[in-house]
Amino acid sequence: MAPLHRKLLRDLAHLKGQAAAIGVVIAAGVMVLILAVTTLDAISLSKARFYDSHHFAQVFADLKRAPEGVAGRLADIPGVNQVQTRVKAPVRLEVAGFDDPVRGLLVSLPDGEQPRLNRLYLRQGTLPESGRNDQVVIGEPFAQAHDLAPGDTLTAIIDGRLERLTISGVGLSPEFIYQLGPADLLPDYARFGVLWMNRRALGHAMDMDGAFNNVVLSLQAGAREADVIDAVDQILALYGGIGATGRDDQVSHRFLSEELNQLRVMAWVLPTIFLGVAAFLLNVLMGRIIRTQRQQVALLKAFGYGHLDLAIHYGLFTGVIVVGGGALGVALGAWAAEAMAEIYAEYFRFPELSFRLQPRILALAFVISAGAALLGTWHAVSAAVRLPPAQAMRPPAPERFRPSWLERSVLGQRLDQPSRIIIRNLSRHRLKGLMSMVGIGLSGSLLLLGSYQFNAVDHLLDLQYRLVMKMDVHVTFTDPTPERALAELRAMPGVNHAEGYRSVPVHLSHGRQDYRTAIMGMEAEPALRGLLDQDHRPTRLPPEGLLLTQYLADYLGVRPGDTLQVEVLEGHRRTVSVEVAGTVDEPIGVSAYMERRALNRLMGEGPAISGVWLLTDTAHETDLFDRLWEAPRVAGIGQIDDVERQFREYIGDTVLVMMGILLLMAGSITFAVVYNNARIAFAERARELATLRVLGFSRGEVSWILIGEIAVITLAAIPLGWLVGTGFAYLLNEAMTMDMYRVPMIITPRSYAFSAGGVLLASVLSLLLIARRLRELDMVSALKTAE
């Protein structure tokens, strides 16, 4: 083995602690990149394959009722490839052993056949047999929630009639990857299910023989979606059409796209922050380690080794650490990404999860890590080899000494000698001290970034479910219902207060911006549905005009006093101009609000409501649900406690798991950086500390000189970490703002304390490890090294 290779092995063995710590920094940066990008890739790839293989439609339209012959007119629209007419119907379900209300959606299939569009992926069983009126395919999540399988039975109330259904199969559809009930934001697989039934049977049950109330279309290559939607709307307007939508507005696709957009942001922002910080730290740490070998570099030159030999030697030294850390990061990243993708698969249902490690991502991670490490190595080695060997083998000349202002101050005069040595050393090596402070500060900023979302999410949920959603039960009706239904609900057992609302689907537009949402008509001062201003204080609805969520107002580019074009997508469709009266601040959802009677007037209807919010006595909920279940116009019953629990689980399973992994990595980086700083400081000052021991300084005084210096740098780094971490958190918060929810930019004192505590804990652990070396300091050997 060549002498330089033996030196390489000895160096690695001697510096194994520092090499391992640097490897952790590399592993953390690579892991974050692999985790974020691979999770995004797995879900994107699974979506694309499911859409293609099962012919996901591109245009969707609901209507009141149209004869089947209208399908031919739709197929003749230029740009349309295929047309699939269907019957859809909301149903109420009863599942043996489950007492809570269960809602369902029945979708028709061609008798005994797969549809041309939105084909089913059958996980178990078969499609309903042709001619069978009692067989259904049920969605896989609903089947898993109730442990149902082919051959089991369900009871359903279809258009007021009780039907007993037999499960023929269990499947998935590209139309319901994200399976939501009406007005829900998150899937509740136990209380909402999708079922597919033969067209003839469902049409007969819904009095839709020879007719349809839903149609989906695919487009030819190059067709303009907007033109096709306009043509579809013109045809279906006569049949109660409420406006066709493209794939971008299809509920499942829209939520999936929102989640992918959030993952895309995380895949860009988080690795950039982590790898950027890791690259900076690598540069600093490798540079300082190589500088401690300055005399060895000079000695090698004196024995005839050229610059290329030294470059290869230290390149291999750095390469071993980078490859080791990178391999660890890839393994951890692949493991975490697969686990994260499986968590997402619980909410987004694909037939299979297409998981892969992309070579270009691996190459990118290694190039960034190796580049940063080699850059630090190159600077230190090139500085050493530029010196003549005789000069490089001598210790660096002492720097010019001049007492700093702090030493000359009254406070400096009162300090003991070891403390003055600390101040003197920091003032002489300001750049080195500054780089150490920046390195520790950056690692502390990652701790703050990883921890702030935990408290911010708690604040979001408290805001939404303590100040906004103050009801216990949410009841929705199948159709707009006269206001007198409120009196009937108030008379039901366990109802303490009831408040009606009107919800109307609309298309809002202002200039070139537009958004499809719903106007919620409420009491001027709603008691069960809070409206909050920018300071989270209750506000009231004006007699006329719209209140918009701030997010929607920003998206549309409107301010109070501006006028919006409102296209009503229900009843008599028309477009009207409505003034924006103000904005409200809500963390979840994107809605518009109007005084209920003003909305009734806008719709040209009497005092109608779409649903009711109830404040209930939990002791009578069973009786209440039984009575509601018997009401024919009730389409759904939602319990707010369940919604809050689902939302907390969703946030906990997705965002907080990801942030928890990042927090763990940030903690590892913090310890690695602080430990390396302490080790390098000890290596650089071993001779000086030994000299002080020989001159009569006690072991405690010598230890304080090193520990005190590290403590000063660490304490100075904590505020810097808070500042940089707050900036990182702001960038991440802005990048992750989405329709579904918006995490408030709130960093609590607990997050700052966590960041500072993490840095201090890492410092204490590092100093405990260094203290052992201080106790074992061999004064003779340390003094000989410079001779």
Side-chain angles (χ1 to χ4, degrees), residues 269-270 449 452-453 659 728-736:
V269 175
L270 293 176
L449 176 65
Y452 103 93
Q453 283 220 352
M659 298 311 293
F728 284 161
Y730 177 78
L731 288 175
L732 183 64
N733 190 278
E734 288 293 303
M736 290 180 63

Side-chain angles (χ1 to χ4, degrees), residues 70 124 131 182 221 298 306 326 406 423 464 521 634:
V70 174
Q124 299 177 55
L406 185 56
I423 296 172
Q464 182 69 15
V634 171

Side-chain angles (χ1 to χ4, degrees), residues 35 38-40 42-43 46 141 144 177-178 186-187 189 256 259 262-263 266 334-350 352-353 355 646-661:
L35 169 63
T38 306
T39 302
L40 171 65
I43 296 176
S46 302
Q144 291 175 342
I177 290 175
Y178 192 72
L186 290 167
Y189 301 136
L256 181 55
E259 193 64 44
Q262 189 181 61
L263 275 175
M266 292 175 76
W335 168 76
E338 192 168 4
M340 276 300 297
E342 287 177 3
I343 289 173
Y344 275 103
E346 285 294 310
Y347 296 93
F348 301 99
R349 294 302 184 117
F350 302 102
E352 59 180 352
L353 201 60
F355 182 83
Q646 293 160 21
F647 210 96
R648 287 186 184 277
E649 288 177 357
Y650 172 77
I651 296 286
D653 287 348
T654 55
V655 176
L656 295 188
V657 166
M658 175 76 87
M659 298 311 293
I661 293 172

